[in-house]
Amino acid sequence: MGHKSVCLKCYRVENIGVDFTKMKINKCPICSNQMIFLNHKFRPPKKTEKKKWELVKFLIFNGFPFQHIYKNGKSDCFKTEADNYVAYPKNLHEAKEFVIKYKDQKIKTNHSKELS
Ligand SMILES: [Zn+2]
């Protein structure tokens, strides 16, 4: 658990804990690509799991860097929180439907340059 700093080029993942005051996203010490911040919902694949990383990059690029997505509008009030959360897709095919279905909840990122 905890938040992660992730390099999308060489797939290095660093734990940065949950203390936002100390949070600083550095460049990757290996390839010097700018790393990005991902929250605790992100479960890093193994470095060799290229397909899973493709999915991660697709989601981030499309404005879904693992924030909570709600089934019924942007609300925590619907039933319990857990009932109203949408699970993240498990493959690219699901992801393509996901980013269309929940496009109202996507957030603007400028991660496209980290992905290039
Ligand atoms: Zn790197």
Side-chain angles (χ1 to χ4, degrees):
M1 291 299 271
H3 299 294
K4 306 261 191 303
S5 164
V6 178
C7 173
L8 293 175
K9 227 175 216 171
C10 66
Y11 307 143
R12 182 183 165 82
V13 178
E14 289 178 1
N15 286 305
I16 48 178
V18 291
D19 186 350
F20 282 94
T21 59
K22 286 183 193 155
M23 213 168 269
K24 191 167 171 281
I25 308 297
N26 296 311
K27 294 208 164 166
C28 175
I30 295 170
C31 72
S32 72
N33 188 41
Q34 178 61 50
M35 297 176 86
I36 65 164
F37 166 81
L38 291 173
N39 69 26
H40 64 281
K41 280 172 74 73
F42 169 65
R43 298 274 186 275
K46 292 190 186 110
K47 279 188 183 175
T48 51
E49 293 177 313
K50 293 269 154 55
K51 273 196 177 154
K52 289 190 184 170
W53 279 107
E54 287 304 311
L55 173 62
V56 168
K57 288 199 271 190
F58 178 85
L59 288 166
I60 294 167
F61 185 73
N62 282 281
F64 294 92
F66 298 91
Q67 76 273 38
H68 285 307
I69 301 298
Y70 303 105
K71 270 181 220 160
N72 292 283
K74 254 190 166 175
S75 169
D76 282 318
C77 302
F78 189 84
K79 293 185 187 174
T80 66
E81 279 194 14
D83 282 341
N84 202 14
Y85 287 153
V86 177
Y88 266 73
K90 301 220 168 16
N91 59 51
L92 261 184
H93 179 74
E94 283 179 25
K96 280 172 186 164
E97 292 175 359
F98 181 89
V99 299
I100 293 165
K101 194 170 175 188
Y102 299 107
K103 63 179 187 308
D104 292 347
Q105 294 181 56
K106 81 174 184 186
I107 55 177
K108 283 207 171 87
T109 64
N110 59 351
H111 290 323
S112 50
K113 64 182 188 297
E114 283 90 349
L115 293 165
S116 60

